[in-house]
Structures are given as C-alpha cells and as structure tokens.
Amino acid sequence: MDAKSTPRKPLPASQRTALLASLQARFEANMDRHRDLAWGDVAARLLVGAGDQLWTLQQMETTGGEPDVVGLDARVGAWVFVDCAPESPKGRRSLCYDGAALDARKENKPKGSAMDVATAMGVEMLTEEEYHGLQRFGPFDTKTSSWLRTPADVRQLGGAIFGDFRFGRVFVYHNGAESYYAARGFRGLLRV
C-alpha cells in the first residue's frame, strides 16, 4: 500500500459483512483485550455513521494488521482499535518514517513512508506509550519492529523511533528517519 491509496468510499454490503464477521471473531477470541466490552456495543457504533471508520478498518485488515478493540477512550467516548497482528503488518513494511525522509533519499528509495501511508489509511501511528500498552496483551514484534510516532525534537534532529519485543521486554530505539527495512512496518490506531 502506498500513500496514494484508493479514495475512501463506502464498503459494498458483502465486504462490510465479511469485515464485521472477521472483527467479531477476533474480538470474541481475544476477550483479554477488552474484558468489560460487548461486541454488540462495538458493532452498533460501527454500523451507525461510521463509513470512513469501516473503510479504514478494511485497510487495516487487508494490509495484515488484524485490528481489534483494546479499550475505550473515555476522553472522547470512542472504542480504540489497534493493529494486533503478532508481527508488524506485512502490507506496511519497507517504509521510511515520513515524507521528508523519503524526499531526502537520493538512491534506493522505499515505496513510501509510514506516516504518509498511515494518513492515507486514516489511522494514527502508535506512540511509545501506546506501544507499551499494546504489549500488555502479549508479545508483539518478536521478529519484526514497528515505527512509532516520533517526538518532534527527535525528528528535527533527523531521527525516528521504533519498537520491538526481544528478550522478554519492550525495546524502543532510533534510526535515521530515511532508513527502511523489510521487517519494519507500523501499527495503526483508530478511534471509533
């Protein structure tokens, strides 16, 4: 997937039905991620005026993110979906950090940037804090890594941060923002 993805449009009924079935199955198989939530409440929110969110969840699903509800953001009254695939989503790897980093590369440019793809999909990249929160549901990125939303002061110096899980703990480290790797993608977050 690149930043110039298909324009957002309502999902056809058959695609919507298949997406909701996948989301429900994942929700019910992973109740530890949302102990106090009921699928009926989540589904009702998705079906009432959430056309863009369904489109975004479909993008998360088709790029290998395996989105699932990980909680309720009480500040805004929204369900929080996060990519819960065991490894960084396959359809979102080999990306540098952002458009400025992509423009800075003179040779061997990647197919795009994580920030641009996230924006095109309608998701936010996880922050370091959100990434640590995700890891409480099990180890994620034991063989891959995921770009994380980088603080402005780090980005201004040319860097970007990423996280992974190794040796029984979460590591957050840095690279030049223009770097890219076949095993590094990003995880998205969507509030519905």
Side-chain angles (χ1 to χ4, degrees):
M1 168 173 232
D2 63 24
K4 298 175 185 86
S5 64
T6 307
R8 296 177 192 184
K9 57 184 179 180
L11 296 178
S14 61
Q15 204 172 17
R16 188 174 56 244
T17 300
L19 173 63
L20 289 170
S22 291
L23 294 173
Q24 181 177 3
R26 188 172 301 123
F27 183 94
E28 291 172 352
N30 296 284
M31 291 305 293
D32 60 313
R33 296 178 187 159
H34 34 254
R35 284 188 172 97
D36 298 328
L37 304 180
W39 173 252
D41 295 335
V42 176
R45 174 78 58 91
L46 287 172
L47 292 171
V48 176
D52 278 355
Q53 287 91 352
L54 284 173
W55 182 89
T56 295
L57 286 165
Q58 181 66 36
Q59 298 304 302
M60 293 170 80
E61 187 75 17
T62 59
T63 56
E66 300 180 22
D68 196 11
V69 179
V70 297
L72 176 66
D73 184 339
R75 294 173 302 140
V76 294
W79 305 113
V80 178
F81 281 85
V82 171
D83 289 309
C84 292
E87 303 299 336
S88 197
K90 283 187 177 184
R92 294 184 242 148
R93 295 185 192 166
S94 296
L95 302 168
C96 64
Y97 180 71
D98 62 12
L102 183 63
D103 292 343
R105 284 196 73 99
K106 301 300 179 212
E107 297 178 357
N108 303 315
K109 286 189 179 223
K111 59 185 174 185
S113 80
M115 289 293 287
D116 290 342
V117 172
T119 298
M121 290 175 61
V123 298
E124 300 172 34
M125 284 176 43
L126 297 184
T127 63
E128 182 177 356
E129 179 182 4
E130 291 162 344
Y131 189 74
H132 277 278
L134 174 65
Q135 295 287 352
R136 75 179 186 263
F137 299 118
F140 294 90
D141 291 329
T142 61
K143 298 174 192 156
T144 59
S145 61
S146 292
W147 285 116
L148 302 174
R149 199 166 354 135
T150 299
D153 59 334
V154 173
R155 185 61 194 98
Q156 288 171 352
L157 295 172
I161 62 173
F162 66 92
D164 60 27
F165 188 91
R166 305 288 195 277
F167 308 109
R169 64 184 304 160
V170 177
F171 287 90
V172 173
Y173 203 62
H174 63 86
N175 259 135
E178 72 285 347
S179 64
Y180 65 98
Y181 301 92
R184 180 171 307 147
F186 73 89
R187 293 177 181 277
L189 179 147
L190 175 68
R191 289 176 180 85
V192 176

